[in-house]
Amino acid sequence: MRRRYEFRRLRAAFLKVFLTMLLLMIALGALYALLQSYGMMESVSYSFLMLPDPVRGFFGFVSALDLSDPLGYFCRMMLLPMAISSIIWLAQGARALNAEQASGLAELLFTQPGSRSGFFWRRWSQGLAAIVVNLLLLAGLTNLFFLLALGQTDFGYHMLIWTVFVRMLVAHVFCWNLGVLCSALFAWPAHAGWVGLAVLLVLTLTSLIPACFGVFNVAWYWSFLHYSIPEYALHMGFAFSWPQIGAMALALLVTLLPGWLMMRTREIDCEV
């Protein structure tokens, strides 16, 4: 019974993100076809260059991409599905440890064999697996579309598509971890979700400091959504800088260990 419950939970979280991203990608594809049919892609391409430098820096519009090229359009416009899906994963993480308490199922859940520490790592690893499978499926479907519908057989095209989704993994995992941490801190999923969203917003907005003032460049490393901007795949590929790698490792520890320690403390308290 417990396995079926966990599977239904995981499936619901997976489908929310998968279907949201898929529908957004289909909508962006329809927009591409519409703009192409009206011959508006050139004007749209140059309109991004007219944005103020801080705005361009914040959204990662770092080049004059030709959006009439399907790959250029894909790498720029995937920013929207990436950001929205990251927020959904944060919301799902905010329910990872406390949804049963809010629904009154906590007593039933914790009467089953298993420690609270094991419960924490099981829920976290389930979400991580769902994130990876979600991105693998979407990347595979995108590559199939480029191959079958657009007839694109260039290996470099397909590698860049995979790169886009691999870079998204950073934002999704960070948001999931942040949500799980908040779910350990707050008893109610709604409170955990709003606090997690506020933290994510603050971290993201701090990247405006170097964009606007050209100082405090370290603030670039606080925004994990910016690590995953799809357009960066065109310019940097899979590579992350050493400061980014260090920031990701630190963020992993800061978001995971306190949540686990809180669950572990509750387990010891219960045993006492």
Side-chain angles (χ1 to χ4, degrees):
M1 183 179 70
R2 182 172 186 171
R3 289 182 179 178
R4 289 199 299 270
Y5 171 74
E6 293 285 358
F7 177 75
R8 288 197 298 269
R9 244 188 108 265
L10 186 60
R11 181 182 60 188
F14 172 83
L15 287 176
K16 284 178 184 178
V17 180
F18 180 79
L19 293 177
T20 299
M21 288 193 73
L22 186 62
L23 291 174
L24 283 172
M25 290 168 66
I26 292 172
L28 289 172
L31 178 62
Y32 175 82
L34 182 65
L35 292 173
Q36 280 283 62
S37 66
Y38 283 97
M40 298 174 60
M41 291 305 294
E42 183 177 356
S43 60
V44 171
S45 300
Y46 284 102
S47 65
F48 288 98
L49 293 177
M50 300 172 63
L51 295 171
D53 287 343
V55 175
R56 289 180 57 203
F58 181 76
F59 288 104
F61 301 148
V62 296
S63 60
L65 286 181
D66 178 12
L67 299 187
S68 61
D69 178 1
L71 183 63
Y73 178 85
F74 168 78
C75 286
R76 176 157 287 178
M77 294 305 180
M78 276 300 290
L79 176 63
L80 179 63
M82 183 274 292
I84 291 177
S85 58
S86 297
I87 293 172
I88 296 175
W89 277 122
L90 190 153
Q92 294 304 307
R95 298 176 52 83
L97 307 177
N98 54 16
E100 288 78 17
Q101 181 170 334
S103 61
L105 294 175
E107 290 186 8
L108 176 62
L109 183 68
F110 289 114
T111 56
Q112 302 295 318
S115 67
R116 289 179 183 251
S117 296
F119 170 74
F120 174 88
W121 291 114
R122 183 173 61 252
R123 285 287 173 88
W124 177 80
S125 60
Q126 287 172 353
L128 180 63
I131 289 170
V132 172
V133 173
N134 177 68
L135 292 177
L136 286 174
L137 284 176
L138 288 170
L141 290 173
T142 304
N143 273 285
L144 280 176
F145 177 80
F146 270 76
L147 178 64
L148 301 178
L150 303 180
Q152 184 54 252
T153 59
D154 184 355
F155 180 75
Y157 254 63
H158 294 282
M159 282 304 298
L160 279 170
I161 291 171
W162 282 106
T163 304
V164 167
F165 285 97
V166 168
R167 294 187 73 91
M168 282 187 196
L169 183 66
V170 174
H172 286 182
V173 171
F174 174 75
C175 288
W176 170 253
N177 286 353
L178 180 60
V180 171
L181 172 62
C182 291
S183 72
L185 294 172
F186 298 94
W188 299 101
H191 296 165
W194 283 113
V195 171
L197 183 61
V199 172
L200 180 65
L201 183 62
V202 169
L203 291 175
T204 303
L205 289 178
T206 53
S207 63
L208 279 173
I209 297 173
C212 292
F213 305 109
V215 294
F216 305 114
N217 288 334
V218 70
W220 281 114
Y221 302 111
W222 299 344
S223 176
F224 291 90
L225 288 183
H226 282 82
Y227 288 32
S228 302
I229 288 177
E231 189 171 333
Y232 289 170
L234 288 173
H235 305 284
M236 294 177 284
F238 289 103
F240 293 97
S241 67
W242 283 110
Q244 287 178 327
I245 293 172
M248 287 187 287
L250 180 62
L252 185 67
L253 291 174
V254 168
T255 51
L256 272 182
L257 290 183
W260 170 71
L261 289 172
M262 288 193 65
M263 294 298 291
R264 178 61 181 159
T265 301
R266 292 175 193 169
E267 181 179 348
I268 294 172
D269 289 344
C270 289
E271 291 174 354
V272 174

